[in-house]
Amino acid sequence: MLPAALRAQQLADSGRRVNQIVLTRHDIFDSTEAAQWIRRIVNQLHVRTRQRVVERELLLRVGDPLDSARAAETGRNLRRLQVFRDVQVDTSADGRTLQIHTYDGWSTRPYATFRSTGGQTLISAGLLETNFLGLATTLDVRYVQDPDRSLVRLAFGAPRLISNRISTGAFYNRFSDGSSFGAVVEKPYFSLSGRNALRASFVNFDGRVLRFRDGVLRARDSLDRRFTLGAVSAAHAVRASPRGYLRVGGELQVRRDDFAPRTAVPTAISRTVTGALLSYVDLSAARFLVTRNYRQLGQPEDVDLSSTIRLGVSVAPSALGYDRTGVGPLLFAQTGTRLPHGFATVTGRVSGLASGGAVDSGTAQLSATVAFQPHRQHLLVAFTMRGWDKNPFPGEEFDLGLFRGPRAFPLHSFTGDRQHFSVLEYRYTALPNILGAFAAGVAVFAETGGAWYSGSPQRSGSDAGIGFRYAPLRSASNIGAGRFDLVRRFATDRQPAGWVVVIGTGFTFDGLR
């Protein structure tokens, strides 16, 4: 049975059709806001998102039956472009005119970032443009230096670049100890009602892999890796609507992945090429929530509460280069629910490969998030996760510190094939609107997490502290609120207790695998 509210909305929508679509594109500062010369300059420097970019995301046309679910999904599609600071999709009083307002955000971001846990630092500088020439095209040029290596990165991404249907992207990374590059061409599902998707991708890595253990911050060993992966996939929706879908798909991968110890005298690396097949079924009941002051400050955000499950089987046949044929399951599941003044989500994934009656490799992860917002300016977030690996590739073990996990610990403080992490954070957005341009707040938090190898003693660390949160209200980026934290690190077998200043963006659980 459909929820009563949804049944009522469907009845309200029935019988009405869209007679007119009114699209209004707003600049970063509206005319009523642009009295100050600096705001006028900002508008003049920015290229407003082009009308055709907005129109191609619309899921309702003149003459279509009015469908509130498609209207809501249109708003999500526009926000997903990451070029707007706000999007509003409404119907007129007569219920037959679709009114769409897009509010551009500042999309050119020259940046210089600094992250530190006291003993280690990460420095980056560059330029990120997410709306080049108003076409929702992304250009990324950056330099990054972390405790392991330095990096120069060039990247490009364009949705619907070819025939308004084909999206493309490419990147090139030049490391101080290697390089990587890749590209993708795809026709994705542009909506929940999409029927077909195609994708072709390629990635290559040639460089050094560092391996760490037991919290020792110096690499235990170093390997040269030659990795190439090419993949083509196709999927079809047997059933599709704005309220969910049933999709079937398959993928073919061709892979080279060879390692050799790094020595003073270069060692020749063999070439081993293998192929694998994957088939899967996706089932989803769509459900979304629009909120504010969660990962960002002030701007609207879409939270996916859909109940989705993917069941698949991967096959690595001996005919495609493996020593023996392997077969393994793939399971991904997520669900979410609204709570009084908040929401909760749970996500799990399992994959593996077995041959000869034994598991050769595999990974599993389970995570849960609860967010409670009794008032727009107050947020309490609890997150917990567990992860397990069996025979991970060198350099792909769980690795906590500096970038992710307990924020006061250096890079590679916790490594292994088992991991856990939990965090509790309360944030108060004390200044939600500073001159119409910024928002700021304070936060208190406590967290614990770690990683270790199976058969070894469990290693973890904890910290707690207070911090400052800040974010531009006119930005088009959704990288999350910036944070400046004063953290008390509690002693471990490798790290002494002490106070640490940590600078970063987003939640510390963002990007955890």
Side-chain angles (χ1 to χ4, degrees):
M1 289 289 291
L2 292 172
L6 183 55
R7 293 201 306 273
Q9 184 62 59
Q10 288 181 334
L11 289 173
D13 292 344
S14 63
R16 293 188 296 174
R17 292 184 177 273
V18 179
N19 288 344
Q20 184 182 15
I21 297 177
V22 177
L23 170 59
T24 306
R25 296 174 297 127
H26 300 262
D27 221 323
I28 296 175
F29 292 98
D30 285 339
S31 57
T32 56
E33 302 173 304
Q36 298 178 0
W37 64 269
I38 185 65
R39 294 183 174 183
R40 291 196 298 271
I41 291 177
V42 169
N43 281 348
Q44 292 169 0
L45 292 175
H46 173 75
V47 178
R48 188 167 52 183
T49 304
R50 300 182 185 275
Q51 182 166 330
R52 68 176 183 269
V53 172
V54 180
E55 290 177 340
R56 73 191 184 192
E57 301 297 332
L58 305 186
L59 301 179
L60 288 170
R61 307 293 177 183
V62 172
D64 287 349
L66 184 63
D67 188 323
S68 59
R70 289 184 187 274
E73 188 179 0
T74 294
R76 292 196 299 272
N77 285 355
L78 289 169
R79 285 189 289 271
R80 193 177 298 122
L81 292 176
Q82 300 181 23
V83 301
F84 303 112
R85 56 185 171 85
D86 199 359
V87 173
Q88 297 174 5
V89 180
D90 299 302
T91 55
S92 62
D94 64 5
R96 298 182 183 277
T97 299
L98 189 66
Q99 298 177 333
I100 300 170
H101 294 263
T102 60
Y103 299 81
D104 268 30
W106 180 253
S107 58
T108 304
R109 188 162 65 92
Y111 62 89
T113 60
F114 174 83
R115 298 183 186 178
S116 172
T117 58
Q120 290 183 336
T121 59
L122 177 146
I123 301 172
S124 64
L127 178 69
L128 176 65
E129 170 60 65
T130 59
N131 197 11
F132 182 64
L133 298 180
L135 298 172
T137 295
T138 297
L139 300 176
D140 186 6
V141 180
R142 71 177 67 181
Y143 170 80
V144 180
Q145 182 173 331
D146 66 30
D148 290 341
R149 55 179 57 86
S150 61
L151 157 70
V152 175
R153 176 177 174 84
L154 305 174
F156 161 85
R160 306 200 189 198
L161 179 67
I162 304 172
S163 301
N164 207 30
R165 298 171 65 84
I166 307 300
S167 302
T168 63
F171 74 91
Y172 173 75
N173 294 328
R174 181 63 186 178
F175 303 101
S176 54
D177 54 2
S179 65
S180 67
F181 58 89
V184 61
V185 178
E186 65 176 335
K187 176 190 173 296
Y189 291 110
F190 290 114
S191 73
L192 294 171
S193 301
R195 287 291 180 178
N196 298 292
L198 299 169
R199 177 183 174 91
S201 62
F202 172 84
V203 64
N204 182 84
F205 174 83
D206 183 350
R208 183 176 58 146
V209 173
L210 301 175
R211 307 190 73 187
F212 297 83
R213 191 180 181 102
D214 300 331
V216 178
L217 302 186
R218 188 166 184 171
R220 178 170 59 93
D221 58 32
S222 178
L223 303 173
D224 282 314
R225 185 182 192 184
R226 303 292 185 271
F227 170 76
T228 303
L229 178 66
V232 292
S233 63
H236 172 71
V238 178
R239 187 176 72 246
S241 79
R243 294 159 183 86
Y245 54 78
L246 173 62
R247 298 169 177 171
V248 296
E251 180 174 287
L252 169 64
Q253 294 184 355
V254 178
R255 177 185 186 121
R256 177 198 177 186
D257 203 355
D258 296 314
F259 297 87
R262 172 162 286 216
T263 60
V265 179
T267 304
I269 298 181
S270 62
R271 175 180 289 273
T272 302
V273 179
T274 58
L277 302 168
L278 168 67
S279 60
Y280 61 87
V281 176
D282 286 344
L283 179 64
S284 180
R287 186 166 60 252
F288 294 86
L289 169 69
V290 179
T291 188
R292 294 176 187 264
N293 293 336
Y294 177 49
R295 280 190 165 83
Q296 305 177 78
L297 296 181
Q299 297 172 330
E301 306 171 59
D302 295 297
V303 178
D304 188 355
L305 302 179
S306 304
S307 294
T308 302
I309 186 168
R310 168 174 286 193
L311 295 172
V313 176
S314 57
V315 180
S318 58
L320 295 182
Y322 287 90
D323 294 334
R324 53 186 180 180
T325 298
V327 179
L330 169 67
L331 170 63
F332 169 82
Q334 74 167 33
T335 190
T337 185
R338 293 173 180 255
L339 300 174
H341 306 292
F343 63 89
T345 61
V346 178
T347 302
R349 53 175 57 88
V350 177
S351 63
L353 202 62
S355 61
V359 177
D360 296 325
S361 61
T363 185
Q365 181 173 306
L366 180 66
S367 63
T369 305
V370 177
F372 179 61
Q373 287 184 299
H375 184 274
R376 173 180 271 189
Q377 292 176 250
H378 297 264
L379 172 69
L380 179 66
V381 175
F383 172 84
T384 187
M385 65 86 63
R386 297 291 185 273
W388 303 264
D389 261 347
K390 181 177 177 61
N391 295 330
F393 286 103
E396 296 184 3
E397 303 89 352
F398 298 125
D399 192 336
L400 301 184
L402 185 60
F403 302 110
R404 59 187 69 87
R407 69 195 75 189
F409 288 85
L411 185 64
H412 312 308
S413 289
F414 307 101
T415 57
D417 53 22
R418 304 288 187 272
Q419 76 166 346
H420 77 89
F421 179 64
S422 298
V423 59
L424 182 67
E425 178 166 323
Y426 164 76
R427 183 175 72 215
Y428 173 56
T429 306
L431 301 171
N433 192 324
I434 304 174
L435 301 177
F438 294 92
V442 294
V444 293
F445 55 86
E447 57 193 357
T448 183
W452 64 96
Y453 288 93
S454 176
S456 301
Q458 178 173 330
R459 298 190 65 257
S460 62
S462 302
D463 60 48
I466 186 170
F468 172 69
R469 301 291 179 265
Y470 54 93
L473 295 176
R474 302 285 169 160
S475 172
S477 178
N478 66 347
I479 60 174
R483 49 185 168 84
F484 185 96
D485 295 327
L486 177 62
V487 192
R488 177 66 179 182
R489 181 176 62 209
F490 303 107
T492 68
D493 57 338
R494 295 291 182 184
Q495 296 293 325
W499 288 97
V500 179
V501 172
V502 181
I503 301 172
T505 56
F507 288 121
T508 53
F509 54 83
D510 289 342
L512 279 174
R513 71 174 186 91

